[in-house]
Amino acid sequence: GSGLGSTTREAGWALGALVVLQLGYLVASQVMWHATGSDEAAYRAGQAFVAGTTIYANAYLVFMVPHGLVTVSLVTAMYPRISRSARAGDQSTLRRDYVRALTLPAAVTIPASAALIVFALPVMGVLFSSKDPAEIPAAAAVLACMAAGILPYGVDFINQRVFYAFEAGRLAFTEQVIGTATATAAAVTAIFLRPEWTVPIIGIGIALGSLSASAFGMWRVRRFIGRYAVSTVVRTWVRMLLASAGAGYVAWGLVIVLTRALGPWGRIGYAVTLVLGGVLFGVVYLLVARLLRIEELAVIAAPIVNRLDRRPPGRHRPQG
């Protein structure tokens, strides 16, 4: 009667999901090993550079940064309230919190996804170094392919937390299986393509796997919280996507010009490109977001603004 039985079952499903995830990576790593012949640096002059597990790991590390800083932080803060509402059967509060969990992080993760696509080359050039000039562009291509999956990856994370709040570990496990199976299918498909496409295809597989898993999770969450405002969530995502695409389009031209002009500068050139292009991207995104009335940005920024702005509330900053 201490509750350890249900806790053990949920832990078992969580462990099973982890095993499935690791099996998926095992398949992907073997496919990458097959493409590179176990050594991504072993290629002759004139051949296309073939990315391997090192480049994959570096790109995945960067891919996880916006997810870890934004989605995990916000959802972790909201999770105790979600758990309490699940225990109390308060579906109205659950629906409101679930919609907020889907939209608040997206105000940052969607532009982060666009930014990582636009700035993939300078980001990888600043963070990592290589003796081979072909390695950084190859790593940038992998990161750009992965970056499209940041939002669905976060939604998958949110869905699984809701399932665990309702002690529905089986559904969380099923969601993991769907995502891993989709990503693994993409990895296996890469065997039949040119070796230099292998790791980018695996990166696309991560995005597709996250998309399929998150779609399944959003469908099954309705079983616990009832019908929620899916159309509102999608419209909010579309507005954020439009603002991000506009900012990315404007910044992309500057990145091309600066990359060509500052290419001989190496890492310093990449850093200058990243700073100037990043400022332009951020300004355009905020302006377009304001025009499109993306209120989630104000919710995220409010604690920071309130901490920095010591003036009493007024026209410049409304109360609350």
Side-chain angles (χ1 to χ4, degrees), residues 27-200:
V27 174
S29 63
Q30 291 301 305
V31 172
M32 289 185 281
W33 181 89
H34 179 269
T36 60
S38 76
D39 184 5
E40 60 193 60
Y43 74 103
R44 295 185 296 272
Q47 290 182 327
F49 183 89
V50 179
T53 54
T54 301
I55 286 179
Y56 171 88
N58 291 342
Y60 190 78
L61 177 65
V62 178
F63 165 83
M64 287 296 293
V65 169
H67 170 74
L69 290 179
V70 181
T71 305
V72 173
S73 299
L74 289 174
V75 174
T76 299
M78 298 175 67
Y79 187 63
R81 186 168 63 183
I82 292 175
S83 297
R84 286 193 299 268
S85 299
R87 179 65 62 182
D90 186 356
Q91 288 195 337
S92 61
T93 300
L94 276 169
R95 285 192 290 269
R96 183 176 65 252
D97 287 344
Y98 182 63
V99 169
R100 286 170 63 86
L102 292 177
T103 54
L104 280 180
V108 178
T109 57
I110 289 179
S113 181
L116 287 182
I117 294 174
V118 172
F119 300 110
L121 182 61
V123 165
M124 299 306 284
V126 167
L127 294 178
F128 305 101
S129 60
S130 174
K131 296 179 180 178
D132 192 328
E135 183 170 348
I136 298 301
V142 177
L143 175 60
C145 291
M146 286 185 183
I150 294 177
L151 173 64
Y153 192 92
V155 174
D156 179 26
F157 175 82
I158 294 164
N159 292 336
Q160 294 198 29
R161 294 308 172 273
V162 173
F163 292 143
Y164 285 126
F166 282 95
E167 298 184 0
R170 186 193 298 269
L171 282 174
F173 173 80
T174 303
E175 185 169 347
Q176 183 63 65
V177 170
I178 291 173
T180 301
T182 304
T184 301
V188 173
T189 301
I191 295 177
F192 305 100
L193 302 176
R194 296 173 60 177
E196 60 268 26
W197 294 356
T198 297
V199 182

